[in-house]
Amino acid sequence: MNFGEVNSAEFRQFVQDHLSEDPALLLFRYQGKVDFDLKEAVQQISARQKAAKKTSGVGRRLPY
């Protein structure tokens, strides 16, 4: 993984723009069309989606 690439504005914008999309479809749709590691971006999107699912409703489950 190239951390400079991950910190690029294009990489971060891609992740933000596609947070609600299916990561597997993104791999097919953008393969060879971006100037950064697409697999890394898709993994980032997938991880953020998983974290959002796990943390949704946390405030409702607290006992106080």
Side-chain angles (χ1 to χ4, degrees), residues 10-25:
E10 183 182 10
F11 180 92
R12 289 189 315 246
Q13 190 63 49
F14 182 87
V15 171
Q16 283 298 115
D17 290 346
H18 299 283
L19 279 176
S20 63
E21 296 183 43
D22 181 358
L25 292 177

Side-chain angles (χ1 to χ4, degrees), residues 2-48:
N2 181 350
F3 288 109
E5 190 175 86
V6 172
N7 281 332
S8 75
E10 183 182 10
F11 180 92
R12 289 189 315 246
Q13 190 63 49
F14 182 87
V15 171
Q16 283 298 115
D17 290 346
H18 299 283
L19 279 176
S20 63
E21 296 183 43
D22 181 358
L25 292 177
L26 289 173
L27 275 175
F28 290 117
R29 190 178 308 145
Y30 290 96
Q31 190 68 39
K33 297 178 182 177
V34 294
D35 294 329
F36 52 81
D37 187 352
L38 180 61
K39 187 175 180 180
E40 188 67 35
V42 168
Q43 287 175 342
Q44 183 71 220
I45 291 167
S46 180
R48 289 183 186 201

Side-chain angles (χ1 to χ4, degrees), residues 48-62:
R48 289 183 186 201
Q49 288 174 347
K50 186 175 181 180
K53 282 183 186 178
K54 286 186 172 190
T55 59
S56 66
V58 169
R60 292 177 288 204
R61 293 185 294 203
L62 294 176

